[in-house]
Amino acid sequence: MNGFFNILKPPGMTSSQVVGFMRRLTGENRVGHAGTLDPEAAGVLPIMAGRAARLFDYLVDKEKSYVAECAFGCRTDTQDAQGTVIATGTDYPSLDRVRAAAGQLTGDILQRPGMYSAIKKDGKPMYLRARQGETVEVPERLVHVERLEILAEMPDHGFMMQVDCGRGTYIRSICEDLGHLCGCPAHMRFLLRTRSGFFTIRDAITLEEASAAARENRLDSYAVPVDAPLQHLRAVHVPESFARLAANGAALPVQMFAGQNVKDAEILRVYLGNAFLGLAGRDGEWIRWKVLFPQND
């Protein structure tokens, strides 16, 4: 089974556990996820099955959207509600004050994720170092926040917010930064990812729905075609006379794509008729394959 599954990950389950669940359902060993979600977070988790896993590096996963709740009154060592409280305060901010602070956290900003993050140092995730009692300062890094809108004030000094951001942005760190800017410690109380690149929560399916479909032998009806998340790449078409060469993974001459204006180093979606053959890129006067999908697979 080759394709993507847009899974609505439930809270209390790791992204790796979802991968294992889908591996059992599909019977496919080659299963992975495109973008980790924290165990207590819920939302869109794209799952890649079969040869779709080879397309990970070509997905547009830089644009992500979240709905989150920032809670004021305490800061935790994990920056979320599951951690140990390390600071408290009672100077609770107003809605206007939080919205003013949010305006300082948009665009390209420097962010310092907490120790309990998946960022690696010397090949070891920071959260493993934290659990083993190590204390290592995580360096600041540049991230992009396209939109940070405070939607509503919630009970117990919470504020619901919408975040549209780039890859590598930690919503937990945004909540903690809001606390610093407002003069009252804060942490992330709730997180829901509503979009990960091509995949949106509107089209996501639950694990229960996937299980029911597998029992009825219709799981493939939920599979997203391998080329669907690649629409940001330009499509070119192989002439029928070169079909055998293309199917065998041979390099193809650029002049064969005359009139299709193929640029140097451009990554392309390649088709033979309506059949998706894979991804290729121009290398001088040749088109060389990056990922090839055998047509009898």
Side-chain angles (χ1 to χ4, degrees), residues 9-15 17 37-43 78 80-83 172 188-193:
K9 189 190 90 65
M13 195 174 190
T14 68
S15 298
Q17 287 173 330
L37 262 179
D38 288 343
E40 296 308 316
T78 59
D80 61 20
Q82 281 66 53
R172 289 177 288 161
M188 186 183 74
R189 181 181 286 162
F190 163 84
L191 181 66
L192 174 70
R193 183 158 68 192

Side-chain angles (χ1 to χ4, degrees), residues 139-154:
E140 285 187 323
R141 57 183 187 166
L142 190 68
V143 297
H144 183 77
V145 178
E146 183 66 27
R147 173 190 177 204
L148 175 53
E149 182 180 356
I150 307 302
L151 301 175
E153 189 167 359
M154 307 298 289

Side-chain angles (χ1 to χ4, degrees), residues 82-253:
Q82 281 66 53
T84 300
V85 174
I86 55 177
T88 60
T90 57
D91 187 13
Y92 302 117
S94 65
L95 179 60
D96 288 342
R97 189 169 160 194
V98 177
R99 281 178 170 158
Q104 300 179 54
L105 295 175
T106 57
D108 292 331
I109 63 170
L110 285 174
Q111 184 180 81
R112 191 188 302 278
M115 272 290 292
Y116 286 87
S117 66
I119 296 171
K120 293 183 178 180
K121 181 176 176 61
D122 300 326
K124 186 176 180 180
M126 298 300 292
Y127 67 83
L128 287 181
R129 293 181 178 276
R131 289 171 184 169
Q132 293 169 0
E134 296 183 42
T135 302
V136 181
E137 185 175 63
V138 183
E140 285 187 323
R141 57 183 187 166
L142 190 68
V143 297
H144 183 77
V145 178
E146 183 66 27
R147 173 190 177 204
L148 175 53
E149 182 180 356
I150 307 302
L151 301 175
E153 189 167 359
M154 307 298 289
D156 299 323
H157 314 294
F159 293 86
M160 197 65 70
M161 59 188 188
Q162 167 82 41
V163 186
D164 298 332
C165 58
R167 183 178 184 180
T169 305
Y170 275 81
I171 310 304
R172 289 177 288 161
S173 297
I174 287 179
C175 292
E176 186 168 280
D177 289 344
L178 281 173
H180 290 313
L181 290 170
C182 291
C184 183
H187 66 277
M188 186 183 74
R189 181 181 286 162
F190 163 84
L191 181 66
L192 174 70
R193 183 158 68 192
T194 58
R195 179 171 68 108
S196 181
F198 168 86
F199 301 92
T200 67
I201 198 167
R202 179 186 58 204
D203 303 315
I205 63 170
T206 65
L207 293 177
E208 291 77 13
E209 288 174 315
S211 294
R215 288 194 298 271
E216 298 166 5
N217 294 318
R218 56 179 182 85
L219 182 60
D220 58 348
S221 68
Y222 285 121
V224 177
V226 290
D227 60 332
L230 304 172
Q231 299 303 302
H232 58 287
L233 302 175
R234 198 157 60 88
V236 296
H237 295 268
V238 174
E240 191 67 40
S241 57
F242 284 85
R244 180 170 293 181
L245 276 177
N248 290 330
L252 304 172

Side-chain angles (χ1 to χ4, degrees), residues 4 7 61 81 131-132 144 152 173 183 256 281 288:
F4 295 89
I7 298 298
D61 65 342
R131 289 171 184 169
Q132 293 169 0
H144 183 77
S173 297
M256 153 183 137
R288 302 187 188 277

